[in-house]
């Protein structure tokens, strides 16, 4: 039924728009129509305003790694829990690392029962509050589950990607290696 809805929407649409080149290619192949590319972007002034108005609060942690967004099955959020646990139990790591998750979703239900001490769950926050936390973080992180061939997610650029760029964060990603996200990160030296 989902495929029928997709094809019907494409057929009835006056104009098709995609936010990444890969998505445009996929939609064009599926629909047989031209797809207009309108790239997603970052409001740099918004981030700069937040940077200048927000005092940096130093914590007892040397490095703060942040994940922002949905916590669903495809986001493979359990990987972040495993990394936090590994970092906290590894005596060879001399840096105090704190992991922060801003967001919520069904994947957190089971994981909330066993949260490592160096991982903080902030829940869903306003965009304004999220930006304040982002600009005080050191690294942006996200992962994706392996995507089936033909899945549109492979060529999507999630909002968190643009938020990380706006906050000038280096990005650690488990993005699909031949997907548009991985290509953008590598070509932009993020």
């Amino acid at each position: 039924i989902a495929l029928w809805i997709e094809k019907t929407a494409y057929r009835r649409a006056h104009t098709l728009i995609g936010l990444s080149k890969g998505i445009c290619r996929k939609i064009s192949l599926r629909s047989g129509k031209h797809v207009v590319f309108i790239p997603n972007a970052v409001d740099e002034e918004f981030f700069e305003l937040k940077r200048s108005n927000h005092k940096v609060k130093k914590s007892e942690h040397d490095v703060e790694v942040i994940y922002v967004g949905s916590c669903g099955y495809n986001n493979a959020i359990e990987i972040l829990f495993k990394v936090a646990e590994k970092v906290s139990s590894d005596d060879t790591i001399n840096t105090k690392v704190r992991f922060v998750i801003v967001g919520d979703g069904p994947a957190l239900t089971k994981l909330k029962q066993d949260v490592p001490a160096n991982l903080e769950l902030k829940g869903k926050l306003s965009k304004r509050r999220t930006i304040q936390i982002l600009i005080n973080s050191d690294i942006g992180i996200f992962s994706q589950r392996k995507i089936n061939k033909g899945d549109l997610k492979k060529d999507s650029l999630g909002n968190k990607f643009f938020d990380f760029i706006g906050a000038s964060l280096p990005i650690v990603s488990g993005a699909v290696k031949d997907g548009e996200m991985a290509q953008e990160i590598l070509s932009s030296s993020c």
Side-chain angles (χ1 to χ4, degrees):
I1 193 159
L3 187 59
W4 177 84
I5 292 171
E6 178 183 0
K7 287 183 178 189
T8 301
Y10 293 155
R11 191 174 54 253
R12 292 185 179 177
H14 179 270
T15 304
L16 299 173
I17 298 170
L19 300 179
S20 75
K21 292 174 186 174
I23 291 285
C24 289
R25 280 189 301 274
K26 292 273 172 62
I27 293 174
S28 183
L29 285 171
R30 289 181 179 193
S31 68
K33 291 183 171 183
H34 173 72
V35 180
V36 177
F37 172 54
I38 301 177
N40 211 332
V42 173
D43 183 350
E44 291 179 23
E45 289 180 18
F46 182 73
F47 278 90
E48 197 53 49
L49 178 67
K50 291 290 163 206
R51 254 186 226 100
S52 61
N53 289 338
H54 188 72
K55 293 182 181 176
V56 176
K57 179 188 159 225
K58 295 291 180 187
S59 72
E60 71 276 4
H61 295 89
D62 299 324
V63 177
E64 186 166 286
V65 179
I66 188 163
Y67 172 91
V68 175
S70 299
C71 299
Y73 173 78
N74 287 333
N75 305 107
I77 200 73
E78 72 278 1
I79 292 170
L80 189 53
F81 277 70
K82 290 177 185 176
V83 170
E85 183 65 42
K86 176 84 171 155
V87 167
S88 71
S89 65
D90 190 334
D91 294 334
T92 63
I93 298 175
N94 296 325
T95 304
K96 292 181 183 174
V97 182
R98 179 171 86 141
F99 295 84
V100 176
I101 295 177
V102 176
D104 206 359
L108 283 179
T109 305
K110 278 185 182 176
L111 296 170
K112 283 181 180 178
Q113 297 169 7
D114 193 23
V115 179
N118 62 338
L119 191 147
E120 181 180 357
L121 302 173
K122 296 259 187 202
K124 189 172 181 169
L125 301 175
S126 70
K127 183 73 168 183
R128 192 170 298 276
R129 181 68 184 119
T130 300
I131 298 302
Q132 289 173 338
I133 293 169
L134 273 170
I135 62 174
N136 284 316
S137 298
D138 300 296
I139 298 170
I141 190 169
F142 62 89
S143 59
Q144 292 175 315
R145 215 164 277 297
K146 187 173 180 181
I147 297 172
N148 295 326
K149 186 177 180 179
D151 193 329
L152 288 177
K153 291 181 200 87
K154 174 183 170 191
D155 292 308
S156 67
L157 295 171
N159 291 341
K160 63 181 86 51
F161 175 74
F162 295 97
D163 290 342
F164 292 161
I165 289 172
S168 301
L169 295 178
I171 300 171
V172 174
S173 172
V176 177
K177 70 178 178 181
D178 60 340
E180 190 150 343
M181 180 77 65
Q183 292 170 13
E184 282 293 325
I185 290 169
L186 294 171
S187 68
S188 303
S189 300
C190 295

